[in-house]
Amino acid sequence: MKLWDETIDGYRPEARAMLQALEGNFPTAEGDGGALPDDLVARAQVQRQNLLAVEPEPSPMAVDSTIPGPAGDIPVRLFVPENPKAMFLHIHGGGWVMGRPHINDEGNEHLARDHGLAVLSVDYRLAPEDPYPAGPDDCEAAAVWMLEHGPELWGTDKMFIGGESAGGHLAAVTLLRVRDRLGALDRVLGANLVFGVYDLRGTPSTFDNGGNTDFMNSSEIPILFESFTPGMSEAERRDPDVSPLFADLSGLPPCLVSVGTFDHLLDDSLFLATRLAAAESPVELAVYPDSPHGFMFMPSEMTKDFNQRLDAWITSLLP
């Protein structure tokens, strides 16, 4: 079974050349000022500052606001076109410990301008200061707010849910909560799950991605897991609300699952897509050869193909 076509296969030399050119920028256990602190909070604070240094220019379309949350107001970033066709709940990545909605301003502006989606990107609470279930609870609160206020504010009661990396994980968790807690799955058009982590015990590629060049570091992943789920046993991490790979995946709306073959989270996406298909939930698996974690932020033909595929997927599901 081939996981990509000949056109995508032809992009592999460019992908490898780009990785080679960027190799010096790949993460190690070191921060800018030396080894990262052992203390998880101090470590996260350094990582957040490092990520801010490479954050893209903010979108002029974005509007910062807040919505009510379980622990106080939640900051959100809104992108609202005229006469929205539907809504999109976006959840940013960053290993649950860093990042903010600004990371995906360009992508969220595109969703608003070119697809007519009212986008809300949620600035959920971060670990280790606020571990599980704080982040998922904030994302659920954002979904509740959109489902409640979308019709009056934007004239639509339909939404997409999506995110990248840890945001892909939180998007999957939120999708399941919308089904199991809110009973509002009929309002969800689809879920865009981009190189997410779906088993917090770790999958084979989490520990060994074949030595391929990746923006993730295998030694860092267990630290992120512990920051988000401190002290949890493997049995506790099998809870579907923690590791959605263990959930009942039947009856879900269409899911687009995307990942690169050099990604340490490759197996998470392969396993999730296979389980979705076995549960007879509509799923499209997009695998990009020789591509690392975060490849969609790199200017390449692989990225163009990813964007075109996402555009076609969204267009096919819009009311």
Side-chain angles (χ1 to χ4, degrees), residues 233-257:
S233 65
E234 282 205 3
E236 290 170 324
R237 286 179 176 151
R238 285 199 296 268
D239 185 319
D241 197 55
V242 176
S243 294
L245 188 64
F246 290 87
D248 170 9
L249 299 176
S250 62
L252 295 178
C255 294
L256 176 59
V257 179

Side-chain angles (χ1 to χ4, degrees), residues 25-288:
N25 297 318
F26 283 85
T28 66
E30 306 294 311
D32 287 343
L36 289 169
D38 292 331
D39 177 78
L40 293 182
V41 173
R43 186 185 193 92
Q45 290 171 346
V46 171
Q47 291 172 313
R48 290 166 193 163
Q49 289 301 313
N50 290 343
L51 188 58
L52 281 174
V54 296
E55 197 172 87
E57 288 293 317
S59 164
M61 187 180 186
V63 175
D64 291 319
S65 186
T66 61
I67 61 172
D73 287 346
I74 304 170
V76 297
R77 200 157 169 83
L78 300 171
F79 302 77
V80 182
E82 292 186 12
N83 304 314
K85 299 176 183 177
M87 302 175 287
F88 195 109
L89 171 58
H90 173 258
I91 307 173
H92 71 80
W96 307 285
V97 307
M98 56 186 144
R100 57 181 189 155
H102 301 64
I103 292 174
N104 205 51
D105 265 16
E106 182 178 356
N108 288 335
E109 181 178 327
H110 170 70
L111 292 174
R113 291 192 185 280
D114 297 317
H115 290 289
L117 299 177
V119 182
L120 183 152
S121 190
V122 55
D123 197 0
Y124 55 89
R125 286 170 288 167
L126 298 175
E129 297 93 332
D130 292 294
Y132 173 88
D137 286 351
D138 286 354
C139 294
E140 180 186 354
V144 169
W145 187 90
M146 294 179 77
L147 291 169
E148 179 179 350
H149 295 284
E152 64 182 89
L153 291 177
W154 304 316
T156 177
D157 66 351
K158 302 296 184 183
M159 69 187 299
F160 291 90
I161 300 173
E164 306 81 33
S165 194
H169 164 268
L170 292 170
V173 169
T174 304
L175 177 66
L176 293 167
R177 288 189 178 197
V178 169
R179 181 191 68 184
D180 300 336
R181 299 187 183 188
L182 307 181
L185 201 61
D186 60 318
R187 308 267 296 277
V188 181
L189 297 171
N192 180 39
L193 307 175
V194 186
F195 41 74
V197 52
Y198 309 113
D199 183 351
L200 270 71
R201 303 169 310 152
T203 57
S205 60
T206 302
F207 302 101
D208 181 7
N209 75 334
N212 295 308
T213 304
D214 188 23
F215 281 109
M216 294 195 81
N217 186 313
S218 59
S219 64
E220 186 69 20
I221 295 173
I223 298 173
L224 297 175
F225 287 176
E226 181 61 24
S227 296
F228 180 59
T229 56
M232 278 194 183
S233 65
E234 282 205 3
E236 290 170 324
R237 286 179 176 151
R238 285 199 296 268
D239 185 319
D241 197 55
V242 176
S243 294
L245 188 64
F246 290 87
D248 170 9
L249 299 176
S250 62
L252 295 178
C255 294
L256 176 59
V257 179
S258 305
V259 72
T261 61
F262 283 6
D263 196 327
H264 278 84
L265 301 181
L266 169 65
D267 288 341
D268 287 75
S269 288
L270 297 182
F271 295 168
L272 182 72
T274 303
R275 291 207 67 237
L276 283 164
E280 300 185 82
S281 289
V283 58
E284 183 175 335
L285 175 63
V287 180
Y288 293 90

